[in-house]
Amino acid sequence: MESLRQHQADKLEDFLKFGEAYTGQGLNQERGFQRPGDTRWGSYFKTLDNLMVLFPSIVNVLKDMKRDCPYHLDRFAAGNLLSQIQEFGFIFMLHLMFKVLLFTNELNKALQKKDQDIVNVMRMLDLAKKRLQMMRETEWNSLLDEVCSFCSKYDILIPKMDEDYTLGKSKCKRFEVTYLHHFRVEVFYTVIDLEFQEFNDRFDVVTTDLLLGMTSLNPVDSFANFDKDRIMKLADYYLSEFGDNRTRFPT
């Protein structure tokens, strides 16, 4: 960790020297990683953000460890990790998950609050779904451009998208799909679809109707969230508790 801090400081000094960073309150704060025990859903987003910003420093530290660690196993582990994070596939997944968590970060933070505004959470859920759907339909090219730009900046090999996909550096492990198909269909679409599936599993139609129905009965702020249609929908799930006349609102 000390080596990481030192490399950050050296990089910041270079940035300031060449006008690529500016001084001021709240600027250029030290970045780091949370301990595993401190990690919650909201902090995964921060972790990926820090990983992208600190990437050159992390590479530098791993190179030092690979060269200078006194123990063979530590040198091997550092070299293995260094090789993995300098693969195009790792960089692609890093950027993809950062984007996905960016769209769901506010929702995750809202769900962790003790006092939840269910109506607001449902709105944020709907917004997150719309953002993910837009990403799935229109943002493949921009994501790929960002990944390729990042790889070019840090001298990471970019595969030719029309060539056959191979696993790792082995040319023997070829698959009958191109790199484009693998990263777009098997990774990009799959990750987003899994996120949709998780949303739908956790917030299916019945659960959503029940939550919104109960919220409509909340007397806070003079029944600010009152909604007749939501209450009627709630009653539909408990027909045995209501007679026909009891589920009719006066007109």
Side-chain angles (χ1 to χ4, degrees):
M1 185 60 72
E2 190 60 37
S3 298
L4 187 60
R5 289 196 182 99
Q6 183 58 49
H7 192 263
Q8 282 183 259
D10 293 341
K11 293 288 289 185
L12 178 57
E13 184 177 347
D14 290 339
F15 287 154
L16 291 171
K17 184 185 300 182
F18 294 105
E20 297 180 22
Y22 303 92
T23 58
Q25 185 175 1
L27 298 177
N28 308 313
Q29 295 182 1
E30 182 180 277
R31 289 179 178 247
F33 296 102
Q34 293 175 298
R35 297 178 180 179
D38 298 331
T39 303
R40 301 176 68 184
W41 276 109
S43 64
Y44 286 122
F45 170 72
K46 295 180 182 178
T47 298
L48 296 183
D49 183 29
N50 287 338
L51 181 55
M52 287 196 289
V53 173
L54 296 175
F55 186 81
S57 298
I58 294 170
V59 168
N60 183 75
V61 170
L62 288 174
K63 286 180 178 178
D64 290 345
M65 292 177 63
K66 180 182 177 182
R67 183 186 64 245
D68 300 331
C69 275
Y71 300 107
H72 170 72
L73 287 178
D74 290 339
R75 294 196 301 272
F76 176 80
N80 185 50
L81 183 56
L82 180 63
S83 176
Q84 290 183 35
I85 69 172
Q86 290 182 303
E87 289 281 346
F88 180 86
F90 175 86
I91 302 302
F92 182 87
M93 185 60 75
L94 173 63
H95 281 74
L96 173 58
M97 292 309 302
F98 174 79
K99 284 264 190 181
V100 170
L101 292 181
L102 174 64
F103 292 151
T104 60
N105 187 47
E106 293 302 318
L107 173 62
N108 288 330
K109 289 193 293 186
L111 290 172
Q112 291 172 7
K113 292 181 179 179
K114 292 182 179 179
D115 299 323
Q116 295 179 359
D117 181 346
I118 298 300
V119 174
N120 187 49
V121 168
M122 292 298 105
R123 288 171 182 161
M124 294 172 71
L125 173 64
D126 185 58
L127 179 60
K129 286 183 175 181
K130 289 179 179 178
R131 286 176 171 175
L132 287 173
Q133 187 62 39
M134 182 177 295
M135 178 181 175
R136 193 184 194 281
E137 294 175 354
T138 66
E139 297 184 19
W140 158 256
N141 288 329
S142 61
L143 175 65
L144 184 60
D145 288 343
E146 290 176 15
V147 173
C148 290
S149 176
F150 189 95
C151 289
S152 297
K153 183 177 181 179
Y154 297 113
D155 298 322
I156 296 172
L157 181 64
I158 302 172
K160 294 181 179 179
M161 290 294 144
D162 58 348
E163 291 186 351
D164 289 343
Y165 170 67
T166 58
L167 184 62
K169 297 181 179 180
S170 174
K171 299 300 181 182
C172 298
K173 298 179 181 179
R174 290 183 177 273
F175 297 84
E176 295 182 356
V177 296
T178 62
Y179 278 97
L180 178 62
H181 177 90
H182 170 70
F183 285 110
R184 185 169 190 172
V185 177
E186 298 178 350
V187 181
F188 180 72
Y189 288 157
T190 298
V191 167
I192 295 176
D193 290 345
L194 285 173
E195 190 70 15
F196 274 119
Q197 182 179 331
E198 182 175 357
F199 281 152
N200 292 333
D201 289 344
R202 292 177 179 270
F203 300 97
D204 58 23
V205 174
V206 174
T207 301
T208 301
D209 287 342
L210 291 177
L211 287 172
L212 292 176
M214 295 301 295
T215 303
S216 296
L217 297 172
N218 191 335
V220 172
D221 295 332
S222 301
F223 289 92
N225 292 319
F226 179 82
D227 187 298
K228 182 180 72 173
D229 293 334
R230 289 173 180 167
I231 295 175
M232 293 298 293
K233 178 66 70 173
L234 177 64
D236 287 341
Y237 291 111
Y238 296 94
L239 288 177
S240 61
E241 302 295 329
F242 298 91
D244 290 338
N245 293 330
R246 294 181 183 179
T247 57
R248 296 176 183 173
F249 277 84
T251 57

